[in-house]
Amino acid sequence: MYSRNAVIGMTLFATVGAHTSAFAENDAEVIRKSDIEWSNSAQSKDVDTWVAHYSSDAVVLSPNQPAASGNEAIRKTIGGLLGLPGLSVKWRPLKVEVARSGDIGYLHGTYELSFDNPNGGRIEDHGKYVEVWKKQPDGSWKCAIDMFNSDVPASQ
Amino acid sequence: MYSRNAVIGMTLFATVGAHTSAFAENDAEVIRKSDIEWSNSAQSKDVDTWVAHYSSDAVVLSPNQPAASGNEAIRKTIGGLLGLPGLSVKWRPLKVEVARSGDIGYLHGTYELSFDNPNGGRIEDHGKYVEVWKKQPDGSWKCAIDMFNSDVPASQ
């Protein structure tokens, strides 16, 4: 009796474990696609479209400015980015990984960004980014941390 | 019989869930303490001590230089940082979170960094960082992604 229960318990545990791994792989693909869609939709340069990818507790950690946390600060930061004259921005994930429990994932990738220099010509930048994603109560994935920095040497 | 098995199964599942949450809280505390110890031990300015906190698949994403992945590239990047004349560097985590499954965690925090300016005086910097931590096969936690950027406006 006890051994039979133990077997049933072990089977249940193994089944839960297998499902969890499968979910994690599927979740990684969901996050990867969400990030690519985010980059594509950023071409609209619409602040609402951009910030819809953030969780309610998100922080945006941009270079050379303080951390932006909370809806107002994040909208200001993203609005400033999207308002750059002649902005071109795109990014793509290189690696995505999700915890076995399917509640937290992260990715890192590379970005390209350019905009008009007020003094003429273009300012060209490229670099890397990290995002932490969290599964929301409704099952959707949102970005809770968004950080990037440049590969280009700082001007002296 | 079946309903009794179902109850046993549910109890097992609930127990696994409760343990997982408790582990996640404990793991968050382990990661927080590891990060604080890392900052403290960085005062030795010893490259080996610093890089011992990275996983074998770690990437270090420093501002104004390409991503460093692999032991050699990471040692070069950290060696460059620790070799800055009169370097002072410290950091502290603000928020740590771990997946329920206890395999992936992340944190973000703030850093302070200063070093001697070759032209005289000190260069003072402060900013923010994100780390992704992964539990290793031996149960220890290592940093798999280490990224930071400055709060200070870029010089023009």
Side-chain angles (χ1 to χ4, degrees):
Chain A
M1 181 66 180
Y2 283 110
S3 74
R4 178 167 177 167
N5 283 344
V7 168
I8 291 168
M10 287 175 67
T11 305
L12 178 73
F13 186 69
T15 306
V16 169
H19 281 184
T20 303
S21 294
F23 285 145
E25 274 178 39
N26 186 52
D27 281 329
E29 197 50 35
V30 169
I31 292 172
R32 182 188 298 275
K33 287 180 179 170
S34 296
D35 195 47
I36 291 169
E37 182 275 321
W38 193 0
S39 176
N40 291 338
S41 68
Q43 307 314 310
S44 70
K45 301 181 186 175
D46 178 62
V47 175
D48 289 334
T49 302
W50 183 300
V51 302
H53 295 83
Y54 292 125
S55 63
S56 59
D57 60 345
V59 290
V60 178
L61 306 174
S62 306
N64 307 117
Q65 53 185 285
S69 62
N71 188 49
E72 190 179 347
I74 288 176
R75 292 184 67 89
K76 188 176 172 188
T77 289
I78 301 305
L81 173 66
L82 294 177
L84 289 170
L87 174 72
S88 168
V89 60
K90 59 182 175 180
W91 62 92
R92 67 186 178 93
L94 290 174
K95 180 180 176 179
V96 188
E97 194 169 13
V98 175
R100 287 194 305 275
S101 44
D103 51 341
I104 293 176
Y106 73 91
L107 62 80
H108 67 95
T110 58
Y111 75 83
E112 291 174 43
L113 185 154
S114 65
F115 54 96
D116 294 336
N117 186 337
N119 302 324
R122 295 279 289 174
I123 293 173
E124 306 273 354
D125 183 29
H126 59 93
K128 48 219 175 289
Y129 67 100
V130 168
E131 295 164 359
V132 174
W133 290 67
K134 289 166 68 175
K135 189 175 273 180
Q136 305 300 300
D138 68 357
S140 67
W141 283 93
K142 298 282 186 184
C143 178
I145 296 188
D146 182 10
M147 185 175 218
F148 64 101
N149 67 33
S150 179
D151 289 352
V152 180
S155 54
Q156 298 299 318
Chain B
M1 182 64 182
Y2 283 110
S3 74
R4 178 169 176 162
N5 283 342
V7 168
I8 291 168
M10 286 174 68
T11 304
L12 177 72
F13 186 68
T15 306
V16 169
H19 281 182
T20 304
S21 294
F23 285 146
E25 276 178 38
N26 185 52
D27 282 329
E29 197 50 34
V30 169
I31 293 172
R32 181 188 299 274
K33 286 180 179 170
S34 295
D35 195 47
I36 292 168
E37 182 275 322
W38 193 359
S39 176
N40 291 339
S41 69
Q43 306 314 311
S44 69
K45 301 180 185 176
D46 178 62
V47 174
D48 289 334
T49 302
W50 183 300
V51 303
H53 294 83
Y54 292 125
S55 63
S56 60
D57 60 347
V59 291
V60 177
L61 307 174
S62 306
N64 307 116
Q65 53 185 287
S69 62
N71 186 50
E72 189 178 348
I74 288 176
R75 291 184 67 90
K76 188 176 172 188
T77 289
I78 300 304
L81 173 66
L82 293 177
L84 290 170
L87 174 71
S88 168
V89 60
K90 59 181 176 180
W91 61 90
R92 66 186 179 94
L94 290 175
K95 180 181 176 178
V96 188
E97 193 169 14
V98 175
R100 286 193 306 273
S101 44
D103 51 341
I104 293 176
Y106 72 92
L107 63 80
H108 67 95
T110 58
Y111 75 83
E112 291 173 44
L113 184 153
S114 65
F115 54 97
D116 294 336
N117 186 338
N119 301 323
R122 297 279 288 174
I123 293 173
E124 306 274 353
D125 183 29
H126 59 93
K128 48 218 175 287
Y129 67 101
V130 168
E131 294 164 1
V132 174
W133 290 68
K134 289 166 70 174
K135 189 176 274 181
Q136 304 300 301
D138 68 358
S140 67
W141 284 93
K142 298 282 186 184
C143 178
I145 296 187
D146 182 10
M147 185 175 218
F148 65 101
N149 66 33
S150 178
D151 289 352
V152 179
S155 53
Q156 297 300 316

